[in-house]
Structure formats: C-alpha cells, structure tokens
Amino acid sequence: MKKIGLLTVLLIVACYSYSIYGATYTWNASGSASWAVTTNWTPTRTTPATTDVLQFNSGTTVTVTNIPTQTIAQLFVSGSTVVNFQANAAATILTIGGGAGTDLTVDAGSQLNINGTLTMTITIATGATGSISGTMTFSAAAQKITAVDASGLTFQTGSSLTQGASCSGNIFGASGGTNNSVVFASGSTFIQTTGSNPFANSAPASIVVFQTGSLFSNQQTGTPSFSGRTYANFEQDLASAPTITVTGASAVSIDNFTVKNGTFNFNMTGTASAIKGNISVFSGATLNFNPLTAGTVTLSGTGQTLTITGTWTIGSLSTIAVTNHPVLVIFNGAGAQTAPTAFTYDNLTLSGGGLKTTAGISVLGILSMEGNATASAAPTYGGSATLQYKGASSQTTGPELTASLNNLIINNLLGVNLGSPVTVTGTLTLTSGAFTIGANTLTLQNAIAGTPGNLSADATSSIVIAGSGSGINIPSSVIALNNLTLNNSNGTTLQGPLSLAGQLTLTSGLLTTTAANLLTLGIAATVSGG
C-alpha cells in the first residue's frame, strides 16, 4: 500500500506541474507556414492550451501565418532566428499569460516581427514579463505590443523596436494604458517611421519610459510629442529632410539631441525645457530656436559638446541658458555661425566660417579658431582662458583677439597674421607656422614657449617687454622693428642682430647685446630712458 500511495503522489505532482508550466512546443516548419497546422510544431500541437510554451530556435527566417487570438504561457525566440508573425483576422491578440521566469524573450541576434496586413497585438498579461535583447519591426498594419503591469516589457541594451511602414497608431497601446509599462533601457533604440506618439497618455504620464542612454530615432514627417515629455537621447533622421516644428509650454527634457537632416524648429515656450547632453547638427541640417513667445532652453549637463556641422539660429525670443559651461564645437565651412549670446563656454572651436555674434560670448577655457571670425563684439575671456589659431589655411586675427588676454597659441602651419595690438599676460606659444606681427604692437609678459623662431616682424612692427617674467628674449627671427620697449626688471637679450627704425624705450631692466647680435639704430631712431 505504501508503494501505491507514493506512486499516486508522484502522478499528482506531475499533473500539477504540467498544468502550471504546460508543454513546450518547438516550431519545425521552414519558410512560410501556418500556426494552426499541428505538425508544424514538435511535438504535434493538437490541443493548444494557455499553459503552452512556444519556442523558435531554428536559426533561419520563418513566416508564421494564420495566428489566431490565443493565450499561451511563454514565447521564446533564440539562436539567430528571424520570426515574422501574420494574423488570421483583424484585431488578433496573442496574450502571453506567464509561467516560470521571463515570459517573452527575444535573444540578441534574433528577431520577432509582425508584418501581416491584418492588425495584431502581443499583450503581456498581468504577472508576466517580457525582455527583448534582439530586434522587432512592426509594419503593414497598426500592430501593437502592450504590457499590463508597470515595467512589464523591457527592451535591453542592444535591442531595437521599429514602428515601420503603415504601422499607424500608438504602438504600445492607446491612451489609458498602464503608465511606465514599456521600458527602453540604456543602449536600446526605438525607431519611429510612422504612427502616433508612443507616450499615448496625457503628459507627463506615459506608457513608455526612455531610460538614460536609450535612443528615440524620429524618422517620420509627423511631429513628435515634446510638451511635458521626457526623452533620453533624441535624433531627427529622415532622408527626405522634412521641417519639424515642436511647440508647447510644458517642459521637455532631453539628453543628447541630434538633427541629422532636415530642419528642426525647437520652438518650446516657457522656462523649464532642458537639454542635458550633447547637441549635434549634421551637415545640411538646420536647428532653429525661434518660438513665437518667450522660451528658455537650459543646457544643464556637465561637459556638454555642441557640434554644429550644419546651421543653427537663435531667435530674439529664445534664451539659451547655461548652467555648467558647455563645450561648443562648430565645424562649418558655409559661412559664419552665430553663437548664442550671453553664453559661457569651457572650450570653443570654430572652423570654416568662424564666429559671428552681436553681443559677445564668454570663454573660460580654449577658444580654438580654425577659420576667420566676423563679429561686432569680442568674446570675454576668463582669467586662465586661451586663444588658439589652428586653421588649415593662413589666418588673420580678428575681433576674437581682445587687446589683452591670458594665453595665445599659434598652431597653423601656413601662418597667422596679427590684425591688432595685443598684450599676452600669460604665455605666447608658437607651435607651428609663422606669427607675423606686421604694423602692430605685441606685448609680452613671459618667455615665448614652443619655437620662438616662428615670430616674424619687420620695420613696421613693435614689441613691448613688460611684466615680471624672466627669459623674455628677442628671437633671432626678428631682424627689424619699428619700436622696442623694455619695462621688465629681468631685462631681455637679443638672440640675433636687430635693426630699429623708430623708438627704443628703456624703462626697466637691461637690454643685452653681443658682438654678433648688435642693435642697430636707424637714422631716424630715438632713445628714451636709460
């Protein structure tokens, strides 16, 4: 009797386990085949049950047709398998009811797509979860994927979901769906080529969550939802180069913001919208900040980079507020760029057309000029700021060169011409190319770094040795000057012969010459001081 009782218990446990987890069926058909044909499954699926576990792992591309409205426990796609679902009737719903562990899984390298002309929804029921590491593309009709519970479906790092051609409507469910039920984790991507906004619910409520590091790629001509929305990284990327205009008074929050093509009018009003990451505008693309009423966009990240290869404009009613001094990098060969007024940069690199501004900017770090600037107001430099010239063709200093600045770097193989008098209170570094003073005055307060022999002057040029730095010598490349002023107690030494046409002013310090390096005063030259 004890043996019979034990056998009975084991049978009961086995039946109970089967009822919870069900049988596992593996798709064995190739090409296009019907879900309803029992022999397309191994073992033969004669009696579908809500506890069934279905898996696709052939490593091939298969199209599964005639999918009915049905509930199963779990669905797995693995082994680099590509699965295309097609419904047998409009409004077909495949419900993932749940079992042990994650219930809807698409492994990295695998795909689960819905591409039939009849609408179909994959629903992850309450208590069930989905995890997508591969890719999904929904197209041909208003396909959907929904989750009943918050965080019920997560797109993992490396995964993507594309709302493709003819997939209209809200892909994660219409208004009224569960808030935060679909999550895009860092490194995942949602690509929208058509359809309504994926948030669905009224802002700030949202069915979908874009976590930091995820990407929303807007590839449709429709206007994305911005007012009151929170994105991670956002890009506009549609080859037809549309004009997109976003408006609204409720703040939008974005990390990295990219315009790859077309024109994007960022016309948000109010004061709280924020871009926390980098801004990129590709060649041929345009980014405008031009609301009809006052609007403020705050750049609130740390170490932000603004890379403008295309064009951007900032209208009179738009304010770009900066909290952590972003880096602005402008690579543009199609005319001067307008930098935002009242802007403070850690580092600012200007290429091609250079800088154009009517109110000036503030630079704390390095202003690197790769072209020639046009401006009506010079930048304001911080106490340790550096101006660097590093163009690919000869440059002439312009309004970006203030009368006095800390450090000046010449790093242009084809040379830089001084366009106005300047006092370098820090260090003049001659890295590459000639620095030609011309008919201007160069005032030095510290020794020349780099290659002093790159300094070039003529009989119209003037040099002032001032401050208290030591080792400020006149390099041998300077063979003629108009005026020379020495007002530094450490003095200066001629490292080559020098001809002086105008005035020699000796206020402080010794002027040291040698038999080989003589100072020759021209017939009209005068000497002042001792």
Side-chain angles (χ1 to χ4, degrees):
M1 292 295 294
K2 290 183 179 180
K3 290 183 179 179
I4 294 174
L6 180 59
L7 180 59
T8 302
V9 170
L10 291 174
L11 288 172
I12 292 173
V13 171
C15 292
Y16 180 70
S17 298
Y18 185 88
S19 68
I20 293 178
Y21 303 116
T24 297
Y25 297 95
T26 303
W27 185 259
N28 60 43
S30 60
S32 178
S34 173
W35 172 290
V37 174
T38 60
T39 55
N40 287 337
W41 302 94
T42 301
T44 301
R45 188 170 179 244
T46 55
T47 308
T50 59
T51 55
D52 288 349
V53 176
L54 308 184
Q55 62 182 11
F56 298 83
N57 58 11
S58 64
T60 62
T61 298
V62 297
T63 298
V64 184
T65 62
N66 297 319
I67 299 176
T69 293
Q70 193 171 95
T71 298
I72 61 174
Q74 295 177 315
L75 175 65
F76 304 133
V77 182
S78 61
S80 298
T81 304
V82 177
V83 181
N84 300 310
F85 276 180
Q86 295 180 0
N88 70 353
T92 292
I93 300 176
L94 179 64
T95 301
I96 311 296
T102 305
D103 305 299
L104 171 62
T105 300
V106 180
D107 287 352
S110 295
Q111 299 180 31
L112 176 58
N113 309 315
I114 305 178
N115 59 8
T117 57
L118 300 173
T119 59
M120 179 176 175
T121 299
I122 297 176
T123 295
I124 301 172
T126 186
T129 57
S131 177
I132 310 300
S133 296
T135 64
M136 305 181 85
T137 299
F138 292 0
S139 60
Q143 326 291 3
K144 291 179 172 53
I145 184 166
T146 65
V148 175
D149 296 340
S151 302
L153 174 62
T154 299
F155 287 85
Q156 307 291 353
T157 300
S159 69
S160 69
L161 170 64
T162 299
Q163 186 170 359
S166 300
C167 187
S168 58
N170 307 99
I171 194 169
F172 303 120
S175 177
T178 304
N179 286 332
N180 310 325
S181 56
V182 179
V183 177
F184 280 83
S186 177
S188 63
T189 301
F190 173 62
I191 301 170
Q192 186 171 26
T193 69
T194 189
S196 304
N197 83 76
F199 303 97
N201 291 339
S202 298
S206 173
I207 290 177
V208 62
V209 175
F210 294 102
Q211 292 183 345
T212 300
S214 65
L215 172 65
F216 184 113
S217 182
N218 189 61
Q219 298 182 16
Q220 65 166 336
T221 57
T223 303
S225 177
F226 261 48
S227 188
R229 298 304 186 187
T230 299
Y231 291 90
N233 301 329
F234 179 93
E235 69 175 17
Q236 173 67 33
D237 184 16
L238 183 61
S240 64
T243 295
I244 302 295
T245 301
V246 294
T247 58
S250 297
V252 60
S253 175
I254 300 173
D255 293 339
N256 295 330
F257 182 68
T258 302
V259 183
K260 288 188 173 181
N261 40 53
T263 298
F264 198 101
N265 297 316
F266 199 113
N267 293 353
M268 303 297 292
T269 55
T271 61
S273 291
I275 299 175
K276 299 180 288 184
N278 303 325
I279 297 177
S280 300
V281 181
F282 282 33
S283 177
T286 300
L287 173 60
N288 298 318
F289 295 91
N290 193 25
L292 295 179
T293 58
T296 297
V297 178
T298 300
L299 303 187
S300 58
T302 301
Q304 290 173 274
T305 300
L306 284 69
T307 306
I308 314 299
T309 314
T311 302
W312 77 343
T313 62
I314 298 170
S316 60
L317 294 176
S318 181
T319 299
I320 307 297
V322 183
T323 59
N324 290 306
H325 313 306
V327 177
L328 174 61
V329 183
I330 296 180
F331 297 109
N332 174 53
Q337 287 292 307
T338 301
T341 59
F343 233 47
T344 300
Y345 304 98
D346 284 336
N347 301 296
L348 174 61
T349 299
L350 303 172
S351 175
L355 173 67
K356 179 181 180 181
T357 179
T358 57
I361 59 173
S362 179
V363 179
L364 299 181
I366 299 174
L367 170 57
S368 187
M369 299 293 299
E370 297 184 2
N372 293 316
T374 57
S376 59
T380 299
Y381 293 99
S384 60
T386 297
L387 175 59
Q388 175 179 230
Y389 291 89
K390 50 178 292 188
S393 59
S394 178
Q395 293 172 278
T396 299
T397 68
E400 76 289 341
L401 182 68
T402 53
S404 176
L405 78 161
N406 183 41
N407 299 316
L408 177 62
I409 298 175
I410 305 300
N411 188 16
N412 183 337
L413 185 63
L414 298 180
V416 176
N417 300 307
L418 186 62
S420 59
V422 64
T423 297
V424 182
T425 60
T427 302
L428 171 63
T429 302
L430 303 180
T431 302
S432 176
F435 181 38
T436 303
I437 301 173
N440 294 289
T441 299
L442 172 65
T443 300
L444 301 174
Q445 296 188 5
N446 291 285
I448 300 173
T451 307
N454 288 347
L455 187 64
S456 175
D458 57 31
T460 66
S461 308
S462 298
I463 290 179
V464 177
I465 308 297
S468 58
S470 59
I472 312 176
N473 299 319
I474 308 296
S476 59
S477 58
V478 177
I479 61 176
L481 286 174
N482 184 25
N483 304 313
L484 174 63
T485 298
L486 177 58
N487 188 17
N488 182 307
S489 60
N490 290 304
T492 190
T493 298
L494 298 186
Q495 296 183 324
L498 176 63
S499 174
L500 197 68
Q503 173 125 359
L504 171 64
T505 302
L506 301 174
T507 302
S508 176
L510 296 176
L511 172 61
T512 302
T513 66
T514 66
N517 301 327
L518 294 176
L519 173 65
T520 301
L521 299 179
I523 192 169
T526 60
V527 178
S528 172

